[in-house]
């Protein structure tokens, strides 16, 4: 059952979309943590795939893209207001969307060029990270239809033969770079979010990818925590338990906050090192 707070947030987002650009958003599917049964209202964003009519070129297309950019701001004002009132350094409940033309849904996922996407403060035209084999697998198998037909009827092609290799590339690319920066004198941070909080938010993502490389399954962050506790050395348990506690908004083990980014970087390096290679290598 979809949590009421999540349903309200997505319905509000769509109502804003309909006022800004009537008829443009013809489908909307919740993916990410909510589709995987791991959405937490005080922690999680809301990831959606939005289906739009083809955005034509010229002045008309430019007008629709400007409206999609404005949608990210106006559609998430409520989430921003709640976070400000609660003095939260992040914005849980924010709807992040990738927009895909209806005519492209049946294409192999790696051939789809998104119309646009927005995540956090960024709006990107012609880009959208969530159009990838992992998210398309979640969409096809567990996506929640808020508007439009069931995901299983959309003719999606997540290219399952690429799932493991794509995931391994993410570990060796994005996550290897994050680990290297976490081990530096200036670990990564986000706007309003310290390196400590960012490290805890990120610690469970690489084990998720490790599980996908090993088994071909796509699991939630909560499941990834349990998997990591069973799979990796016990010296990482305090970090993993703290990351799970942070996600659950409950007290966890006492660790020096200044050391958590470094510990996370070291753990991610071990996750990458133990991921089995692609069979094609």
């Amino acid at each position: 059952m979809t949590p009421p707070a999540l349903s309200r947030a997505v319905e509000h987002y769509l109502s804003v979309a309909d006022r800004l650009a009537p008829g443009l958003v013809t489908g909307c599917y919740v993916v990410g943590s909510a589709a995987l049964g791991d959405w937490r209202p005080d922690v999680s964003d809301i990831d959606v795939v939005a289906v739009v009519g083809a955005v034509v070129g010229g002045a008309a297309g430019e007008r629709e893209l400007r409206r999609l950019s404005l949608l990210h701001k106006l559609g998430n004002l409520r989430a921003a207001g709640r976070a400000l009132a609660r003095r939260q350094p992040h914005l849980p409940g924010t709807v992040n969307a990738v927009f895909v033309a209806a005519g492209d849904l049946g294409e192999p996922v790696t051939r789809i060029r998104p119309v646009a996407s927005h995540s956090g403060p960024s709006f990107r035209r012609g880009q959208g990270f969530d159009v990838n084999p992992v998210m398309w697998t979640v969409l096809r198998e567990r996506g929640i239809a808020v508007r439009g037909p069931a995901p299983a009827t959309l003719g999606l092609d997540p290219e399952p033969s690429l799932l493991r290799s794509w995931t391994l590339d993410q570990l060796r690319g994005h996550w290897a770079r994050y680990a290297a920066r976490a081990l530096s004198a200036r670990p990564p941070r986000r706007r309003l979010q310290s390196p400590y909080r960012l490290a805890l938010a990120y610690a469970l993502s690489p084990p998720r990818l490790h599980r996908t490389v090993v088994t071909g399954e796509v699991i939630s962050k909560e499941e990834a925590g349990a998997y990591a506790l069973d799979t990796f050395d016990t010296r990482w348990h305090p970090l993993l338990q703290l990351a799970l506690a942070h996600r659950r908004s409950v007290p966890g083990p006492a660790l020096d906050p200044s050391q958590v980014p470094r510990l996370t970087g070291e753990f991610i390096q071990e996750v990458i090192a133990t991921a089995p290679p692609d069979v094609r290598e």
Side-chain angles (χ1 to χ4, degrees), residues 40-254:
R40 297 183 177 275
D42 293 331
V43 176
S44 304
D45 295 336
I46 303 170
D47 299 313
V48 304
V49 175
V51 182
V52 299
V55 178
V56 299
E62 180 64 27
R63 182 174 61 250
E64 302 298 356
L65 285 169
R66 286 199 302 269
R67 289 174 178 175
L68 291 179
S69 177
L70 187 59
L71 170 60
H72 179 45
K73 302 176 181 68
L74 298 181
N76 286 306
L77 280 178
R78 287 184 177 179
R82 284 193 300 269
L84 182 62
R86 298 171 183 174
R87 298 185 179 180
Q88 292 173 306
H90 56 300
L91 301 178
T94 298
V95 177
N96 296 314
V98 60
F99 301 95
V100 177
D104 290 342
L105 285 175
E107 294 292 324
V109 65
T110 58
R111 298 182 191 174
I112 297 174
R113 184 173 185 263
V115 172
S117 65
H118 59 68
S119 178
S122 302
F123 178 81
R124 296 181 174 88
R125 301 176 180 216
Q127 300 179 50
F129 175 77
D130 280 348
V131 180
N132 63 59
V134 168
M135 198 60 78
W136 245 231
T137 298
V138 174
L139 173 58
R140 186 175 71 173
E141 297 179 359
R142 302 181 67 174
I144 301 169
V146 181
R147 176 179 293 180
T153 69
L154 296 176
L156 302 172
D157 180 7
E159 296 183 272
S161 64
L162 300 181
L163 181 63
R164 284 188 173 92
S165 60
W166 185 91
T167 304
L168 190 60
D169 286 345
Q170 289 299 304
L171 278 174
R172 292 175 173 176
H174 170 79
W175 288 107
R177 291 190 294 273
Y178 173 83
R181 290 183 61 199
L183 293 169
S184 72
R186 299 185 65 183
R189 64 178 303 151
R190 278 185 173 180
R191 185 182 300 177
L192 302 179
Q193 198 163 10
S194 68
Y196 165 75
R197 292 184 63 90
L198 188 63
L200 290 181
Y202 281 0
L204 301 178
S205 293
R208 288 180 72 193
L209 303 184
H210 190 282
R211 173 69 171 265
T212 300
V213 173
V214 172
T215 69
E217 300 173 89
V218 180
I219 62 174
S220 70
K221 288 184 179 179
E222 188 85 11
E223 292 170 320
Y227 170 74
L229 288 168
D230 288 340
T231 303
F232 298 99
D233 192 88
T234 55
R235 69 192 177 104
W236 304 116
H237 284 194
L239 172 66
L240 292 166
Q241 290 162 351
L242 183 60
L244 284 168
H246 173 74
R247 181 163 181 78
R248 296 166 182 163
S249 300
V250 299

